[in-house]
Amino acid sequence: MAILEVKDIRKSFDREEILKGISFDMEKGQTLSILGSSGSGKTTLLRCLNFLETPDSGTITVNGNLLFDGNNKPGKNENLREKRLHFGMVFQQFNLFPQYTALENVILAPKLENNGKSQAEILEEGKILLNKMGLSDRMDNYPHQLSGGQQQRVAIARALALKPDILCFDEPTSALDPELTGEVLKVIRELADNHTTMIIVTHEIGFAREVSDEIIFMDGGVIAEQGTPAQVIDNPGEERTRQFLSNYLK
Ligand SMILES: Nc1ncnc2c1ncn2[C@@H]1O[C@H](COP(=O)(O)OP(=O)(O)O)[C@@H](O)[C@H]1O
Ligand SMILES: [Mg+2]
């Protein structure tokens, strides 16, 4: 069974349709990368999946549970917290809480979640996650004391702390200096090797080709092409995919 089924998602801003019917499935343990020019709707799609935006229509199903149905939209006061828990989000700009240490950033949400775990367990899990991100000696640092690459790794640990079904990345290395990009891609690659289910919006085409099971190329609010990296990146069927890739693979 697909872990995620997205059907005919549409979203307009100011009467301009930005997502024009997006449909795709993904399997548990897979890495899906979304490529596409600036303005093609990639961020809007991730924000719809994370319920940061409400789609105008379509459905989103996770593990067979219909989380969003455009024909039966959630009311303004409906608590989306539980639905959001299915997705973890890592943003381009890290978005850490500046007043909290790395470890506090990671354990804040699990503490509020109150899911029967003891404070000691939550603390221990937070430390394990930061260890995995290579940050064992940085746990007590505040964001301003960390490099961009370290901050982004804290943000990844924070997203993982809530054990999302699907971890989403929106251009996770775009705000980083080139020499810091590698350390972040390395931890994402390790997550892929460990079969973390991930959707990655990225302009790192070579990286996407290496780690992805599936690639979606978006253009003008539609999925222009979808397939394996060998299909979409090495042997694109669409002229617009070829044009996009030629700008990046020079
Ligand atoms: N909240 C918003 N209000 C109005 N327009 C928006 C909003 N969010 C995104 N857009 C527009 O939607 C289009 C797609 O944006 P976006 O999803 O950010 O694309 P991408 O991430 O692929 O660069 C852009 O033209 C952008 O200006
Ligand atoms: Mg974007």
Side-chain angles (χ1 to χ4, degrees):
M1 185 183 67
I3 193 167
L4 173 65
E5 297 165 77
V6 174
K7 286 214 174 70
D8 202 27
I9 290 291
R10 290 172 187 273
K11 178 69 182 174
S12 296
F13 292 114
D14 311 323
R15 273 179 274 158
E16 190 190 347
E17 197 168 45
I18 301 299
L19 297 179
K20 300 173 181 167
I22 299 285
S23 303
F24 66 92
D25 290 355
M26 74 182 292
E27 299 294 322
K28 191 172 159 65
Q30 299 231 308
T31 296
L32 166 73
S33 291
I34 301 179
L35 312 179
S37 309
S38 185
S40 56
K42 306 180 300 296
T43 294
T44 303
L45 175 59
L46 284 191
R47 288 177 59 84
C48 284
L49 294 179
N50 285 272
F51 304 103
L52 298 168
E53 301 282 359
T54 307
D56 299 328
S57 61
T59 61
I60 300 171
T61 306
V62 175
N63 282 325
N65 299 318
L66 185 62
L67 293 192
F68 176 83
D69 180 356
N71 291 321
N72 185 14
K73 281 191 212 165
K76 275 231 164 8
N77 296 322
E78 187 182 327
N79 189 352
L80 290 174
R81 191 184 54 82
E82 240 167 71
K83 294 187 172 182
R84 287 203 176 111
L85 284 178
H86 293 278
F87 296 89
M89 185 77 162
V90 176
F91 301 91
Q92 189 175 332
Q93 296 292 346
F94 328 137
N95 296 5
L96 296 178
F97 300 106
Q99 71 274 35
Y100 295 123
T101 65
L103 184 57
E104 287 166 348
N105 264 278
V106 173
I107 64 176
L108 190 67
K111 271 180 164 174
L112 296 173
E113 213 35 55
N114 194 13
N115 52 7
K117 282 195 186 140
S118 72
Q119 299 291 310
E121 274 175 285
I122 291 171
L123 196 66
E124 190 52 32
E125 285 187 11
K127 288 180 179 173
I128 289 171
L129 280 170
L130 284 171
N131 264 323
K132 278 193 187 145
M133 296 296 126
L135 293 169
S136 45
D137 55 345
R138 292 293 186 173
M139 298 198 191
D140 299 323
N141 285 162
Y142 289 87
H144 73 90
Q145 299 170 318
L146 300 172
S147 72
Q150 289 167 337
Q151 288 184 58
Q152 191 59 305
R153 286 183 282 145
V154 174
I156 295 171
R158 181 178 61 175
L160 286 168
L162 288 174
K163 302 194 168 50
D165 291 304
I166 301 155
L167 185 56
C168 301
F169 295 85
D170 193 0
E171 299 195 31
T173 59
S174 291
L176 298 175
D177 294 333
E179 69 268 28
L180 301 179
T181 297
E183 65 190 56
V184 172
L185 295 183
K186 178 168 173 273
V187 302
I188 300 176
R189 184 179 287 120
E190 282 164 8
L191 293 172
D193 289 345
N194 290 321
H195 303 291
T196 308
T197 312
M198 296 189 284
I199 300 178
I200 308 174
V201 170
T202 184
H203 290 293
E204 299 280 345
I205 311 282
F207 176 75
R209 178 209 260 133
E210 263 178 57
V211 303
S212 307
D213 299 288
E214 189 86 359
I215 303 272
I216 280 176
F217 172 65
M218 278 181 72
D219 186 50
V222 301
I223 295 180
E225 191 160 353
Q226 179 175 358
T228 63
Q231 290 168 334
V232 177
I233 297 179
D234 298 335
N235 199 9
E238 297 281 329
E239 179 54 30
R240 47 188 169 171
T241 317
R242 279 196 286 275
Q243 268 186 6
F244 169 81
L245 292 170
S246 70
N247 291 331
Y248 282 94
L249 298 175
K250 273 177 196 144

